[in-house]
């Protein structure tokens, strides 16, 4: 059978010819002597209309087929220039391949996103999620393509690790279930040794390992799942999310910003060109003006502002924020959105944050107060990317680790990178789900990852 994806590209070649298709029934309606089936095979956004008439051998049976059933169809393709779809199939043979019980929840009416989350095993079959996950797949491919074209090595950091890359203590511990074989102290499990004699956790970021690779391959990136034990219930945080973390050697903060801007634009472009139907669907049904917004992202230069200047702007609007800011406070989503939506009206990099609110590995600036950090803020989302130039000076790094209580003994290997040919380098992390939210206009992180892991949410 021919995939719809190919069929919609080449249907003119099949005019008046018999073809075979297969798929799932989206809707079926009939009258006395004929009926219509809207069929979708999952390879394309659009349905194919199948017309069946009383001369079909199993006409009476087909009339009783229910939504959600899988069927195969042989039929003649005919052009329908006046109709919404350019062609339809006049069935000569329809075969049931997999029946669907009439209790199938995805009947024609529109369902809320909240309800669809409760049926994560079926929601990929809806138009919305079909489009979301196709765009997610294309965006992942575009990211690999972008880095591959630039000669970056794709590095694979471990999922299970002993380190806390962000120094924020937001880790999930990894425990061997075979607790009998785990070390005990006074008959009780020693949770500092429950990974076969060691303590281990799920990675919060592959950055530190990416630095190892960057200091061997110059330009590298990671792309994989990361985990944060943050018990926060927002539309932008998940306990499991995918992150892309490039790391570049012989590079500083402005090289890092350039790379991030090039990458975001490349992915937006790729998706606009290769997912036209999906993007038009989002533009019509999810976020009005999405396509204009994304065209603007591709064609404009991203803004850049120092944290200190951003705070000055934000302080003028303190009365309208839930949390007021002053120099030294970490900026929250509401401030991030104000800067990108109201002040810049496009993506903007905020750079040079106070050292107190950023991670230990960020490079100290001359002023001894700020570090060479960068966050990319985008309208509608807030923080899309977080990154920095790294502290490559051994003495400075050791000083920061001591100040911030990061255990130097455990990170001897990280320090050695500075001892043996350490060179200036930089990198960033892009939250893949936030990028998909930005690309599709979907408002909740739970609706851009197939099986969201958020507090109280691990059923599937
Ligand atoms: O700002 P973060 O914490 O930075 C790092 O992890 C660095 N090690 C990255 C680097 O320099 N290599 O996270 C980076 C990005 C954020 O900007 C955000 O887009 C996303 O990861 N992110 C989350 N996305 C979903 N749910 C969460 N709980 C997230 N936490 C961070
Ligand atoms: Mg961050």
């Amino acid at each position: 059978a021919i995939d719809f994806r190919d069929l919609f590209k080449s249907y003119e070649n099949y005019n008046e010819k018999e073809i075979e298709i297969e798929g799932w029934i989206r809707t079926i309606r009939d009258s006395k002597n004929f009926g219509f089936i809207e069929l979708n095979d999952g390879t394309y956004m659009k349905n194919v209309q199948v017309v069946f008439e009383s001369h079909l051998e199993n006409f009476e049976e087909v009339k009783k087929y229910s939504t959600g059933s899988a069927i195969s169809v042989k039929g003649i393709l005919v052009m329908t220039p006046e109709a919404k779809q350019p062609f339809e199939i006049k069935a000569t043979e329809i075969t049931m391949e997999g029946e669907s019980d009439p209790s199938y929840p995805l009947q024609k009416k529109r369902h809320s996103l909240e309800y669809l989350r409760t049926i994560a095993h079926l929601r990929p079959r809806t138009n919305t999620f079909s489009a979301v996950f196709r765009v997610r797949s294309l965006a992942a491919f575009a990211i690999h393509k972008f880095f591959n074209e630039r000669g970056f090595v794709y590095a694979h950091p471990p999922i299970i690790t002993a380190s806390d890359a962000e120094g924020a203590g937001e880790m999930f511990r990894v425990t061997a279930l075979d607790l009998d074989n785990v070390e005990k102290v006074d008959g009780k499990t020693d949770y500092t040794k429950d990974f076969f004699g060691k303590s281990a956790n799920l990675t919060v970021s592959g950055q530190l390992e990416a630095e190892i690779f960057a200091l061997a391959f110059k330009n590298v990136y990671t792309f994989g799942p990361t985990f944060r034990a943050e018990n926060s219930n927002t539309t932008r945080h998940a306990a499991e999310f995918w992150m892309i973390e490039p790391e570049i050697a012989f590079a500083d903060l402005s090289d890092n910003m350039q790379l991030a801007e090039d990458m975001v634009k490349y992915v937006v472009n790729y998706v606009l060109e290769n997912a036209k139907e999906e993007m038009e669907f989002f533009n019509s049904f999810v976020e009005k003006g999405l396509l204009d917004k994304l065209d603007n992202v591709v064609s404009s230069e991203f803004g850049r502002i120092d944290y200190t200047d951003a705070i000055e702007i934000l302080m003028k609007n303190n009365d309208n924020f839930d949390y007021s800011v002053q120099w030294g406070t970490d900026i929250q989503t509401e401030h991030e959105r104000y800067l990108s939506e109201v002040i810049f009206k496009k993506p903007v990099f905020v750079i040079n944050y106070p050292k107190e609110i950023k991670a230990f590995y960020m490079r100290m600036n001359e002023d001894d107060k700020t570090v060479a950090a960068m966050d990319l803020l985008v309208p509608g989302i807030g923080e899309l990317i977080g990154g920095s130039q790294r502290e490559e000076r051994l003495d400075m790094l050791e000083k920061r680790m001591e100040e911030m209580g990061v255990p130097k003994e455990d990170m001897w290997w990280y320090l050695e990178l500075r001892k043996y040919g350490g060179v200036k380098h930089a990198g960033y992390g892009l939250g893949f789900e936030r990028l998909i939210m930005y690309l599709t206009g979907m408002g909740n992180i739970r609706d851009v990852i197939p099986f969201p892991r958020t507090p109280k949410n691990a059923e599937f």
Side-chain angles (χ1 to χ4, degrees):
I2 183 169
D3 283 355
F4 288 12
R5 185 172 174 275
D6 299 326
L7 186 56
F8 272 91
K9 270 190 220 136
S10 60
Y11 63 90
E12 277 155 336
N13 302 338
Y14 295 101
N15 190 14
E16 304 293 337
K17 294 202 176 109
E18 188 177 70
I19 61 163
E20 198 176 336
I21 57 175
E22 58 203 4
W24 290 272
I25 298 176
R26 283 287 180 85
T27 64
I28 177 163
R29 63 208 152 85
D30 65 83
S31 59
K32 203 155 169 265
N33 296 317
F34 59 95
F36 298 104
I37 293 172
E38 293 284 333
L39 200 65
N40 189 285
D41 80 341
T43 65
Y44 199 60
M45 275 295 283
K46 288 184 179 154
N47 299 331
V48 169
Q49 174 155 283
V50 175
V51 186
F52 60 100
E53 290 168 338
S54 55
H55 60 71
L56 266 195
E57 207 179 293
N58 55 348
F59 180 68
E60 288 305 321
E61 243 172 80
V62 172
K63 273 165 105 172
K64 287 182 225 134
Y65 286 0
S66 59
T67 309
S69 300
I71 60 170
S72 57
V73 177
K74 278 189 191 145
I76 310 292
L77 186 147
V78 293
M79 300 297 176
T80 50
E82 272 95 63
K84 202 172 78 193
Q85 299 288 32
F87 65 91
E88 65 184 22
I89 309 294
K90 290 211 182 302
T92 51
E93 198 180 314
I94 299 183
T95 311
M96 174 58 75
E97 302 287 348
E99 263 178 82
S100 178
D101 192 86
S103 61
Y104 187 58
L106 299 176
Q107 303 295 335
K108 198 168 179 191
K109 80 179 188 73
R110 270 184 102 93
H111 297 285
S112 73
L113 295 172
E114 289 78 9
Y115 169 67
L116 291 173
R117 273 174 224 148
T118 68
I119 50 167
H121 60 312
L122 298 174
R123 69 176 184 168
R125 303 180 189 188
T126 63
N127 279 336
T128 303
F129 287 97
S130 170
V132 167
F133 296 135
R134 200 185 308 282
V135 164
R136 186 178 166 111
S137 167
L138 276 172
F141 178 73
I143 286 164
H144 285 300
K145 192 163 170 342
F146 171 81
F147 285 118
N148 182 270
E149 281 171 9
R150 293 185 173 217
F152 280 54
V153 165
Y154 177 26
H156 298 122
I159 302 285
I160 298 175
T161 173
S163 54
D164 175 8
E166 291 302 293
E170 287 183 325
M171 290 102 70
F172 289 106
R173 182 185 287 287
V174 174
T175 301
L177 273 181
D178 182 12
L179 286 176
D180 289 343
N181 288 321
V182 158
E183 276 182 53
K184 309 221 168 170
V185 178
D186 300 332
K188 286 208 179 103
T189 302
D190 179 356
Y191 286 104
T192 63
K193 297 203 166 114
D194 53 355
F195 180 78
F196 311 114
K198 287 266 186 196
S199 170
N201 52 271
L202 297 179
T203 187
V204 294
S205 154
Q207 179 196 318
L208 306 187
E209 293 87 354
E211 286 186 54
I212 294 177
F213 264 59
L215 293 168
F217 296 95
K218 188 171 177 188
N219 294 325
V220 306
Y221 72 105
T222 73
F223 190 167
T226 51
F227 307 85
R228 304 262 167 114
E230 70 191 314
N231 196 356
S232 56
N233 230 312
T234 80
T235 54
R236 288 172 187 76
H237 290 89
E240 176 179 311
F241 62 99
W242 287 59
M243 191 153 47
I244 295 101
E245 297 186 274
E247 193 70 31
I248 48 180
F250 302 96
D252 62 17
L253 194 66
S254 68
D255 299 318
N256 206 24
M257 282 190 277
Q258 191 61 53
L259 180 69
E261 181 166 343
D262 289 350
M263 176 187 137
V264 169
K265 287 179 172 172
Y266 184 96
V267 178
V268 170
N269 248 328
Y270 189 87
V271 168
L272 287 174
E273 277 173 23
N274 292 280
K276 288 206 168 70
E277 282 83 16
E278 287 81 355
M279 296 309 286
E280 269 155 28
F281 172 88
F282 293 126
N283 193 56
S284 308
F285 299 110
V286 178
E287 181 183 334
K288 297 259 181 294
L290 175 73
L291 293 178
D292 288 342
K293 174 188 89 177
L294 294 177
D295 281 342
N296 186 38
V297 170
V298 175
S299 57
S300 66
E301 223 176 281
F302 292 4
R304 293 181 184 194
I305 187 171
D306 250 68
Y307 168 90
T308 301
D309 299 328
I311 286 294
E312 220 168 89
I313 293 173
L314 292 170
M315 280 173 72
K316 293 196 190 117
N317 195 48
N318 259 342
D319 291 346
N320 299 318
F321 294 133
D322 292 339
Y323 296 94
S324 60
V325 293
Q326 60 187 63
W327 200 93
T329 40
D330 203 358
I331 57 179
Q332 319 247 348
T333 303
E334 58 174 335
H335 313 117
E336 293 171 347
R337 293 188 54 172
Y338 181 78
L339 287 171
S340 59
E341 287 164 27
V342 181
I343 303 297
F344 283 87
K345 301 185 172 66
K346 62 180 182 183
V348 54
F349 288 107
V350 179
I351 60 174
N352 300 326
Y353 285 71
K355 61 179 180 185
E356 287 82 8
I357 57 172
K358 287 293 181 187
F360 68 92
Y361 52 70
M362 296 192 181
R363 193 179 198 277
M364 187 66 68
N365 287 326
E366 302 275 281
D367 61 15
D368 216 28
K369 285 195 214 121
T370 62
V371 288
M374 63 172 221
D375 276 7
L376 179 67
L377 316 180
V378 300
I381 306 280
E383 180 188 338
L384 177 65
I385 285 178
S388 70
Q389 187 171 337
R390 318 307 188 189
E391 186 55 82
E392 84 283 12
R393 297 162 295 188
L394 182 59
D395 53 337
M396 298 289 276
L397 180 61
E398 287 186 317
K399 186 164 159 259
R400 284 302 289 152
M401 290 171 87
E402 280 157 23
E403 281 171 9
M404 298 183 78
V406 176
K408 282 198 299 185
E409 327 73 73
D410 297 350
M411 300 195 69
W412 59 272
W413 50 273
Y414 190 69
L415 293 166
E416 280 200 353
L417 296 176
R418 275 70 187 165
K419 203 165 130 191
Y420 303 130
V423 68
K424 70 175 176 177
H425 63 288
Y428 62 83
L430 174 136
F432 189 50
E433 285 70 25
R434 293 193 188 175
L435 177 66
I436 304 304
M437 291 171 72
Y438 192 50
L439 287 170
T440 60
M442 297 295 285
N444 195 314
I445 196 165
R446 292 163 183 78
D447 299 327
V448 296
I449 185 165
F451 307 100
R453 295 295 94 109
T454 50
K456 303 195 184 81
N457 203 344
E459 187 170 0
F460 288 85

